[in-house]
Amino acid sequence: DLDAHLRWNRHFEYVMMVRSIDINLQGGALVPTGITSNVNTPVSLSVGSNGHWGMYGDVLAVFELKQDWTLGLLMGLAHLFPHTRTMRIPVGSEPAIFSALVGRVRVEPALTFKFSPYFTLGNLADGLDFQVRYTYLRHNTDFWKDMRSDKAVPSFLDKGGSVVDQQFDLTRWRAHYVSFQVSYNPEEAMKKIALDPIFFAMYDMPIGGSGVAKAHQFSFGAELHF
């Protein structure tokens, strides 16, 4: 999805017994330009917000405790706006992706909260940094509304009670994981390379949560400057 945002920054030096404090407030809009899930393909996954417009707000505070020691804290909320789309609707307690009933549903997403403190040890060697980060993500319960004009075949939304609660609970999730990242900046090692790349390797280790895949992830990449 396209992320259009504005950021406000304030920088303080030598206050509160630290070398510097950098505070960033960021607010943005999420434009649904990503791939949406296919109602006829049960295993299809969306990329981004699955057709929802959204907005978010983040607060990032970075404390330089001493030279090459940095403590950061990121907190934020994201909200997706209601959107009506064609999807499979459970009749009872069966998984939605395998239901035979297809119709228009209005989805009203709940808030998503994120909390992520981190600590960075910089310049372990020339240009080499190490960071450890904890991330907590929580998404509350979404609300669905059956928008079909013909309800000759009732969906779980028409039945109410525990069936509705059971299906709505499946839209709620939370995740906890710890990330370890090593990055290398050749410029700090006095090595000039085209596009001034910063190389990184990251390992995400799940430590808990519910409603999410507890998968270990390795990431490798480079940040280029034009």
Side-chain angles (χ1 to χ4, degrees):
D1 288 351
L2 178 64
D3 178 356
H5 64 266
L6 293 174
R7 173 179 289 190
W8 176 86
N9 170 267
R10 186 70 185 272
H11 185 78
F12 305 90
E13 293 189 349
Y14 299 101
V15 294
M16 299 175 60
M17 301 181 66
V18 298
R19 286 173 60 94
S20 68
I21 299 176
D22 197 71
I23 298 176
N24 297 274
L25 303 178
Q26 180 171 313
L30 301 174
V31 182
T33 57
I35 300 173
T36 58
S37 58
N38 187 337
V39 68
N40 295 316
T41 307
V43 296
S44 71
L45 298 174
S46 62
V47 178
S49 60
N50 203 18
H52 292 266
W53 288 74
M55 62 184 297
Y56 71 91
D58 289 340
V59 178
L60 173 62
V62 181
F63 303 86
E64 187 182 4
L65 305 179
K66 56 186 294 186
Q67 185 173 357
D68 299 325
W69 286 27
T70 304
L71 178 67
L73 174 62
L74 171 66
M75 293 187 295
L77 286 172
H79 176 65
L80 300 179
F81 298 117
H83 175 60
T84 301
R85 66 177 184 268
T86 300
M87 57 190 297
R88 295 190 177 274
I89 317 170
V91 175
S93 59
E94 79 275 15
I97 58 174
F98 299 126
S99 175
L101 183 62
V102 177
R104 300 287 288 174
V105 176
R106 178 179 172 85
V107 180
E108 299 180 4
L111 286 173
T112 301
F113 170 73
K114 57 185 173 183
F115 172 76
S116 183
Y118 66 88
F119 179 71
T120 302
L121 283 174
N123 211 28
L124 296 176
D126 290 342
L128 185 67
D129 297 342
F130 172 77
Q131 181 185 100
V132 58
R133 175 189 292 266
Y134 166 75
T135 301
Y136 172 74
L137 298 172
R138 183 183 182 90
H139 181 81
N140 291 324
T141 305
D142 296 344
F143 178 77
W144 291 15
K145 184 177 180 180
D146 192 340
M147 303 298 290
R148 294 177 299 149
S149 57
D150 181 4
K151 298 185 180 181
V153 178
S155 70
F156 80 100
L157 294 168
D158 301 315
K159 298 179 179 180
S162 61
V163 176
V164 173
D165 295 337
Q166 180 185 26
Q167 291 288 358
F168 279 0
D169 282 346
L170 297 176
T171 66
R172 181 174 57 196
W173 55 267
R174 68 178 186 275
H176 308 257
Y177 58 92
V178 175
S179 302
F180 303 93
Q181 176 175 301
V182 176
S183 60
Y184 176 66
N185 187 345
E187 186 176 13
E188 293 186 9
M190 307 299 292
K191 298 179 180 178
K192 186 63 177 177
I193 301 178
L195 301 181
D196 297 325
I198 298 177
F199 303 99
F200 69 87
M202 181 185 298
Y203 165 53
D204 294 328
M205 180 181 69
I207 57 175
S210 64
V212 295
K214 299 178 179 64
H216 297 259
Q217 177 173 304
F218 293 90
S219 304
F220 304 92
E223 176 183 321
L224 305 178
H225 299 87
F226 296 91

